[in-house]
Amino acid sequence: MNFDTVLMVDWSGGNDRGPRPTKDAIWLCVARDGRAEEPRYMRNRQVAEDWIAAFLTGETTAGRKTIVGFDLPFGYPRGFAQALTGQDNAFAVWQWFEDRIEDSPQSNNRFDIAGEINRKFGGAGPFWANALQRDIEGLPRTKAGYENPFPDRRRAETRAQGAFTCWQMAGAGAVGSQVFMVLPVLSRLRRRFGASVWPFEPLTSDVAFIEIWPSLTLGAAPAHMIKDAWQVREVARTVSALTPEQLAEVLDVDAPEEGWIFGLGHEALLKEAAKLPPRLSNSCFALPPGVHWTPVAEALEALKTRLAPVTGISETPIAQAAGLVTARDCIAQRSNPPLPNTAVDGYGFAGGRAEGLHRMPLAETRAAAGDAPATLPAGQAMRVLTGAALPQGVDTVVLQEDVTVSDGQVAFQGPIKQGANTRKAGEDVVAGDVAVPSGVRIKAADVALLAATGVQTVETYAPLRVAVVSTGAELVDAGQPARAGQIYDANRPMLIELVRVWGHIPVDIGIVPDDREALAQQLSRAAREADVIITSGGASAGDEDHVSALLNDAGSMSLWRIAVKPGRPLALGMWDGVPVFGLPGNPVAAMVCALIFARPSLARLAGEAWPEPQGFDVPAAFSKNKKPGRSEFLRARIRQGRAEVFASEGSGRISGLSWAEGLVELPQEAASIKPGDPVRYMPFGSFGL
C-alpha cells in the first residue's frame, strides 16, 4: 500500500480567526517522501474546505494518490449511529450532520443540533456544555444532572491515554464541537472525490481519509512554533516516511462502527519513522532524453532543483548548535534590545536642545545596565550608563565628555538632536522576526544573536554522513607496499578532508578493487553507514567502470557527460535509497568536480541553502586560446593583482592543486585570452575551503 502525498489537517470548531496565523485554528501540512512543506494556516472552515478540494483536484489530476488525515474522531461510541439514524453505519451519521449543520465564518448551529439530539434521547445527554449566552433546551451547560445513554468513550479513546470524549461541546478539549463541524465537510469531500475512509472500508481509491491524534506520539512543540502548526507538520512528515509495508501494518485494524486512531498500538513504529530522513526518488538524477553533453550551468540547476535534505531533524540547545544547519526559521522570542537604552555614558533628558548653553537640574538617581526603568521628573536630567534602559521621560543622551556638573546641575552646549546617543527597542531584531533563517550553518555569531533574542533551542538537521570510496585495482594506501603499475590513492584522503572542511562527517570505506561484486558489497555497506556516497573512478562507460555499471543495473544510473574540463563523466544514481556521486578518477578532475558539483549538492542534502561560489573579475597574467564547447577551470592564484595559472593543464598533475589558491573559470564559448584581459577568478575560500 503506497501513497504519493500526505495531507494532515488540524480542524477547528470555532469561528473565523482572522488573517494572522494563530493557535487553536485550522492548520494543514503537505508531505512527500518524508519531507514536509511549511504548514498552512486557514482562517475558517470554508477557506479550508475550498483549499483541500482544490489540492485534491490537483493531486488526482496529476495521477498522485493522497492520504488525508484529520485530527478528530470519524465515529461515535457503539450504538450511537443506530440510535440516531437507524443504521450501524458511520457514513449515515456523516450524512445526518451534513443535512442539518448550518455553518458560516461567523456563526453556526452546532449547539442547537446538540440540543436536538439530546432531546431525542430524553434531554440529559449524551452531549453537554453550552458556550452560548442563551439557553438551549436539552443541552446542559455543565455535567450537573448529565446522563449519557452511550459509552463515554470509543474503544480507541480508552486505549489512548489523555484522549478526550467526543460528547463535550465547549471548554478545554471540546472535541465534540470539532466533530460536528467536520463531519459535513468529510461527507462532501468523500462524495466529491470518491474517497475511501479508514477503517470503515478498504483504501482502494486515489484519495483516502484517516483519523489522526498527534498527541499519540508527539511531545511538546518547540517554543517558537504554534503547536497546531508543528503537530500537523510532524505527523505529515512521519506518515509520509512510512514504507508501504509499515503503512499496511498500521492500517490493519478492525473497527467498523466507531473508527480508530491511526497509529494506536504502533506508537513505537511511528516514533522510529519520525526519526528517519526524507527520501530521494530513484529518478531524481534522470536527464531529459536526447541530452548528450550537459552545460555546467544546466547541470548545477538540475541538481539544485532536484536535491533536498536527507537527514533527520531534532531540537538542539543553542549552546550545542554551532556547526549544525537550521532546519526551520529561528524566530526571535524577544526584541534586541528589549527596551530603548543608552548607547553611551552620559546624561539623559527629554527632547533635544537648540544651539546655546543649557542647564538642567540633576536628579539624584541614576540608571545603569540591568536596572529596572526609572521615571525622570520633567525638566531634569539623569546620570545614565551605557546599556541602561532609558528611564521614562528620557529620549536623548548627551555624552559625559560634553557636560559639566556643579551645584546639582548639568550644563552643556547645544544643539543636540532628540534621540541622540540612544538605541530604540528592537533596533536590531524585533520579537517575532526571523533571527536566523533555515538552511544556515550556525556560526558563533548566530549563537550570539539567538541568545540575545531569547531563543533557547533550534531545530537542526543531523550532520550529513558522507561515505568516500576509491575504486581501482591500481590503488593502494599511501605507505603500503606498491607493486609495479600501482599508485598511491590521492583522491580518498583529499575527498575525506573536503567533506570534513565542509562540515559533514566523512565515512572512510576504503579502496575497492575492480570487482563488481566486491564494489556492490561496499556500496551497500556505505548506504547503511552514510547518507550519501562519493566514489572516484569507475564513473565512465568502460569495461572496468563498475560504479556506473552497478548503478545502471540498479535502475538508477544517469551518466552526466558534462561539458567541463577537467572532468566530463559524472555518474549519479541511487544505491539502496542513498544518493551516489561518481567522480572522475584523475585527481585534478576529481577535485574540480567535487568543488563545482559535489560541494553545493552535499550542502543541499545537509539542509543548507544552495551555495553559489563567489567570483571576481581580475586581469589575466597568462595567454590562452580556448576552443568552444566546454567550460574550463584552470588552477590559479593571484599575484600582484593578476591571475596566474598553473603551467600544465594535465589532470594527473596533483602539484597544481597544491600550488593553486583558486580557479579561473572560462566559459563554454571560444576565447582568446591575452595578459591584462579580465577573467573570472574564484578563490578556494568561495568553495568553503
Side-chain angles (χ1 to χ4, degrees):
M1 184 174 296
N2 196 21
F3 289 87
D4 305 293
T5 307
V6 172
L7 171 63
M8 288 294 133
V9 183
D10 184 355
W11 204 250
S12 172
N15 294 334
D16 187 285
R17 301 307 303 274
R20 188 181 181 88
T22 184
K23 64 179 182 178
D24 299 328
I26 299 175
W27 285 89
L28 316 172
C29 189
V30 176
R32 298 182 178 89
D33 293 325
R35 187 175 299 106
E37 299 177 2
E38 285 300 309
R40 299 171 183 268
Y41 165 72
M42 301 284 145
R43 62 182 296 168
N44 59 52
R45 287 179 293 277
Q46 289 70 30
V47 171
E49 183 176 353
D50 290 345
W51 189 95
I52 293 170
F55 177 78
L56 293 178
T57 298
E59 294 300 290
T60 54
T61 301
R64 291 190 288 266
K65 296 182 66 176
T66 305
I67 191 165
V68 188
F70 290 85
D71 178 17
L72 40 83
F74 282 4
Y76 283 92
R78 63 187 180 277
F80 179 74
Q82 176 70 41
L84 181 69
T85 69
Q87 304 178 56
D88 287 328
N89 185 333
F91 299 137
V93 177
W94 291 19
Q95 186 63 56
W96 192 95
F97 277 96
E98 183 186 353
D99 292 341
R100 290 163 176 80
I101 287 291
E102 299 172 1
D103 191 13
S104 75
Q106 302 303 331
S107 65
N108 60 76
N109 66 340
R110 67 184 187 272
F111 293 107
D112 294 290
I113 296 299
E116 176 185 334
I117 296 174
N118 281 5
R119 292 193 297 273
K120 182 180 178 71
F121 300 118
F127 296 102
W128 64 277
N130 174 13
L132 301 181
Q133 293 183 352
R134 60 181 173 87
D135 292 335
I136 294 177
E137 182 185 355
L139 182 62
R141 292 190 177 276
T142 67
K143 294 189 76 172
Y146 168 76
E147 296 180 5
N148 191 347
F150 307 103
D152 186 58
R153 283 171 167 78
R154 301 178 302 164
R155 185 163 59 96
E157 273 99 35
T158 64
R159 290 186 53 183
Q161 186 176 3
F164 292 98
T165 176
C166 59
W167 306 118
Q168 182 182 344
M169 295 296 296
V175 173
S177 281
Q178 294 181 346
V179 177
F180 270 48
M181 304 317 298
V182 80
L183 292 186
V185 176
L186 290 175
S187 184
R188 288 189 291 269
L189 291 173
R190 174 176 178 260
R191 185 169 56 250
R192 178 172 176 178
F193 294 98
S196 304
V197 182
W198 175 84
F200 306 131
E201 53 192 358
L203 300 188
T204 56
S205 305
D206 289 340
V207 176
F209 294 163
I210 62 172
E211 174 188 331
I212 61 168
W213 185 47
S215 297
L216 183 67
T217 56
L218 296 180
H224 64 276
M225 280 197 74
I226 293 174
K227 179 182 178 182
D228 307 321
W230 177 76
Q231 286 186 335
V232 293
R233 189 192 73 192
E234 291 305 295
V235 174
R237 185 175 63 81
T238 300
V239 174
S240 70
L242 295 173
T243 66
E245 294 76 19
Q246 290 172 326
L247 182 60
E249 179 183 346
V250 175
L251 293 176
D252 186 13
V253 168
D254 181 21
E257 179 185 350
E258 293 186 330
W260 197 254
I261 298 169
F262 180 86
L264 184 61
H266 301 276
E267 290 87 347
L269 187 154
L270 292 182
K271 289 179 180 179
E272 285 303 311
K275 300 176 183 177
L276 295 175
R279 302 185 296 270
L280 295 175
S281 69
N282 271 1
S283 62
C284 70
F285 294 127
L287 285 173
V291 173
H292 299 290
W293 290 99
T294 306
V296 170
E298 289 186 20
L300 290 173
E301 185 59 32
L303 292 171
K304 180 179 180 180
T305 301
R306 301 176 189 182
L307 296 180
V310 295
T311 64
I313 297 172
S314 61
E315 197 78 12
T316 305
I318 62 170
Q320 302 168 19
L324 300 178
V325 178
T326 53
R328 312 289 177 205
D329 289 346
C330 305
I331 306 301
Q333 300 301 297
R334 191 187 195 200
S335 296
N336 183 48
L339 296 170
N341 64 69
T342 174
V344 299
D345 290 340
Y347 295 86
F349 50 88
R353 291 295 185 272
E355 293 185 5
L357 177 65
H358 302 278
R359 295 183 186 276
M360 302 179 69
L362 181 61
E364 294 182 0
T365 58
R366 71 167 195 169
D371 290 348
T375 300
L376 178 66
Q380 294 188 20
M382 177 187 285
R383 175 68 166 156
V384 293
L385 303 179
T386 302
L390 292 181
Q392 187 172 353
V394 173
D395 59 17
T396 305
V397 175
V398 59
L399 275 71
Q400 64 181 18
E401 296 91 336
D402 297 335
V403 170
T404 58
V405 180
S406 63
D407 299 327
Q409 289 190 323
V410 296
F412 58 90
Q413 292 284 347
I416 182 168
K417 185 178 179 181
Q418 185 176 10
N421 302 312
T422 64
R423 305 185 186 102
K424 297 178 181 178
E427 182 176 274
D428 184 18
V429 179
V430 176
D433 284 353
V434 175
V436 178
S438 62
V440 170
R441 191 169 292 277
I442 299 173
K443 306 178 292 296
D446 299 319
V447 173
L449 179 58
L450 293 170
T453 54
V455 177
Q456 294 179 303
T457 62
V458 294
E459 289 185 82
T460 60
Y461 288 105
L464 186 74
R465 298 164 301 165
V466 182
V468 181
V469 184
S470 284
T471 67
E474 75 279 11
L475 299 176
V476 294
D477 283 324
Q480 299 299 310
R483 301 189 308 270
Q486 288 189 310
I487 59 174
Y488 292 127
D489 181 13
N491 286 352
R492 201 169 92 259
M494 173 182 69
L495 293 171
I496 286 173
E497 185 57 27
L498 287 176
V499 167
R500 195 189 324 275
V501 169
W502 289 333
H504 315 303
I505 298 176
V507 179
D508 187 358
I509 300 298
I511 300 170
V512 183
D514 292 321
D515 180 283
R516 194 163 300 186
E517 183 176 344
L519 179 58
Q521 291 177 352
Q522 291 302 87
L523 288 178
S524 295
R525 172 195 161 195
R528 291 191 300 271
E529 298 182 12
D531 306 302
V532 61
I533 303 169
I534 293 181
T535 69
S536 62
S540 192
D543 294 342
E544 299 298 331
D545 288 320
H546 298 296
V547 172
S548 52
L550 284 171
L551 294 177
N552 192 60
D553 290 345
S556 66
M557 168 65 183
S558 287
L559 185 62
W560 287 24
R561 296 186 179 277
I562 299 175
V564 61
K565 179 183 177 180
R568 292 195 183 183
L570 191 64
L572 301 172
M574 304 288 290
W575 188 267
D576 292 347
V578 173
V580 179
F581 286 79
L583 302 179
N586 284 323
V588 176
M591 181 165 180
V592 169
C593 286
L595 297 181
I596 302 301
F597 302 107
R599 184 244 177 171
S601 298
L602 294 179
R604 189 73 191 99
L605 293 169
E608 292 182 71
W610 182 271
E612 300 284 355
Q614 297 299 307
F616 309 93
D617 286 342
V618 298
F622 62 93
S623 299
K624 179 176 174 61
N625 289 318
K626 178 191 172 297
K627 297 179 181 179
R630 288 196 288 173
S631 298
E632 294 189 18
F633 294 91
L634 310 178
R635 287 153 283 177
R637 65 186 186 185
I638 300 294
R639 292 294 183 270
Q640 278 124 26
R642 294 182 169 228
E644 299 178 349
V645 297
F646 192 59
S648 171
E649 297 181 13
S651 288
R653 297 287 294 273
I654 305 175
S655 61
L657 294 175
S658 179
W659 172 92
E661 297 168 355
L663 299 174
V664 161
E665 180 185 15
L666 303 180
Q668 281 190 233
E669 297 76 22
S672 179
I673 299 168
K674 303 181 296 296
D677 289 347
V679 291
R680 186 170 188 254
Y681 174 76
M682 295 181 291
F684 282 150
S686 72
F687 296 101
L689 303 184

